[in-house]
Structures are given as structure tokens and as C-alpha cells.
Amino acid sequence: MNLFRHFICRSLKIIIVLILPCVVEAQTAQKQHIKIGYVTDLTGIGAFFSTHTQRGALLAQELLSKTNNSNQFAGPETAPQVSILFEDIAGKIPNAVSAVMKLIESDDVDAILCDFTQACTAIAKKVEAAKKVLIYHSPATSIATTYSQSFRNFIDYTTACKMISEYWKEQGINQIGSLNANLEFGQRCYEGVEEVFNGHFSYRNNPGEDL
């Protein structure tokens, strides 16, 4: 839970840094209000991860409110109030697109948080077109390199897989195999392992495949 809270709290702080000047300019009230939309799976296959990120987000929101951590980015007169609006997409990509349009057009959020590569990839273009900030929790780097308003807040799979491979090498292990999904993060992990165990055997699987 502490790890999830760390990731989400960092995401909220990044959003405050990026959008606070715009919010301050647009709002005249002494206390600024930042609304953040969160697109994730609270039900369905991804709920095992997203229920924890939801708790982390709510804990981070409470932490920011209690300790005024946002003051490291702004003076007391502009310390923002942060509220989070959750949208459950239940693991369905079309739901992600509908959810982000509702958050942008109806709820008028200032920024979007997103879990899972496929959902975040699907909504990134629309978030960019609306000139909003997107912080996504996924190992995929392609979203951030494609869209200037998108920022990744996740571990680097190439580095992580390389580090564990180096540890195995130090333990005297000379041959390994890897199981990598046919998605960007699978390729990135494969590349990290390959730097240490050149020519290692890798089985590539498709999402949902019975392994």
C-alpha cells in the first residue's frame, strides 16, 4: 500500500506542478480547486491492481489536504484543493474513451490519471487534443514520447529486468528463460534480460492466453 500511495502521491504532485499556473490564472478564488479524473478498472480483470491504486489516490488526496504538501509548489494563498473523480472502465477499452470524454467535457477536469497500457494508449490522443495533462501508470514509454502532455509514472521494465538478471548472473546462473507478453512492456523486459543473458530463450504470449 505504501508503494501505491507513493506512486499516486507523486502523480498528484506532478499534476499540481504542471497545471497550477493555469488554474491560478483562470480562477479568482483565494483557494484554487484542481479536479483530477481517474480512469481505471475498479471492477473486472484489472480490479486486483486498481482497487489498491484507488486507495492510494484517496490516501494521497487526504495527505495533501492535511499537510499542505502542495505548498512546496505554491504559496499558501494559492495552495490548491484537490478532488479526484473515478471512472470505472471494467477492463473495456471503449469504456475508457467514453469515460475520458465525460471527465473532460462534463466534469471539466484539469488532468487525467490512468492505469493500464491499452486504456491509457486509447485515451492519450483525446487528452492531448483537450490540452489536458495525462499521468499514466504503465511501463509503456511510447505514450509519453508520442504525446507532449503525457507523462509516465512507473518503473522502467528494461532497467528492472536487467537488474534482476545481473543478480542471477552474480549467483552463478548462466542460462535462463523468460516469459514476455506481446506488448511493449514485454519487449522492454526482454531487452533488459537480453543485455545480460544474450541469446536467452524467450516465450512470447498474447494477453489472455492460457499459459
Side-chain angles (χ1 to χ4, degrees):
M1 179 60 70
N2 287 337
L3 179 61
F4 287 121
R5 184 170 66 177
H6 170 75
F7 273 120
I8 303 299
C9 193
R10 185 169 67 175
S11 292
L12 296 184
K13 289 179 180 180
I14 293 170
I15 287 172
I16 291 170
V17 169
L18 292 171
I19 70 175
L20 185 59
C22 300
V23 174
V24 170
E25 183 178 350
Q27 298 183 9
T28 58
Q30 188 175 22
K31 290 285 186 179
Q32 312 303 326
H33 184 199
I34 293 177
K35 292 193 292 183
I36 300 169
Y38 203 144
V39 178
T40 191
D41 294 357
L42 298 178
T43 58
I45 192 170
F48 75 94
F49 176 84
S50 299
T51 52
H52 291 294
T53 60
Q54 181 189 39
R55 292 171 190 166
L58 293 174
L59 285 170
Q61 180 184 16
E62 182 181 358
L63 180 65
L64 287 171
S65 175
K66 284 184 176 180
T67 64
N68 281 327
N69 280 351
S70 52
N71 285 350
Q72 62 184 289
F73 309 122
E77 73 280 358
T78 56
Q81 174 189 349
V82 177
S83 60
I84 305 172
L85 287 67
F86 293 92
E87 287 290 331
D88 178 19
I89 63 172
K92 299 177 181 178
I93 305 307
N95 290 356
V97 177
S98 301
V100 82
M101 294 310 296
K102 171 186 175 295
L103 288 167
I104 291 172
E105 296 178 357
S106 299
D107 298 319
D108 192 28
V109 297
D110 300 293
I112 300 289
L113 287 172
C114 179
D115 293 328
F116 304 113
T117 300
Q118 291 175 300
C120 300
T121 300
I123 69 173
K125 185 174 182 179
K126 293 188 178 297
V127 177
E128 181 89 358
K131 298 181 179 179
K132 306 290 185 180
V133 171
L134 171 65
I135 305 290
Y136 68 97
H137 307 124
S138 157
T141 60
S142 57
I143 301 172
T145 56
T146 302
Y147 301 102
S148 61
Q149 293 287 93
S150 296
F151 303 88
R152 182 172 67 95
N153 182 25
F154 210 76
I155 61 173
D156 186 314
Y157 269 37
T158 301
T159 301
C161 291
K162 179 181 178 181
M163 288 177 67
I164 195 169
S165 296
E166 289 173 338
Y167 173 76
W168 289 336
K169 196 82 168 181
E170 291 171 359
Q171 301 306 304
I173 298 174
N174 295 315
Q175 287 186 317
I176 70 162
S178 64
L179 180 63
N180 303 108
N182 281 320
L183 293 171
E184 182 184 340
F185 69 84
Q187 178 62 28
R188 290 182 60 78
C189 184
Y190 168 82
E191 292 170 356
V193 175
E194 188 68 8
E195 286 189 44
V196 182
F197 294 99
N198 184 258
H200 82 283
F201 176 79
S202 174
Y203 178 81
R204 311 306 293 268
N205 66 288
N206 295 314
E209 183 178 340
D210 185 359
L211 301 176

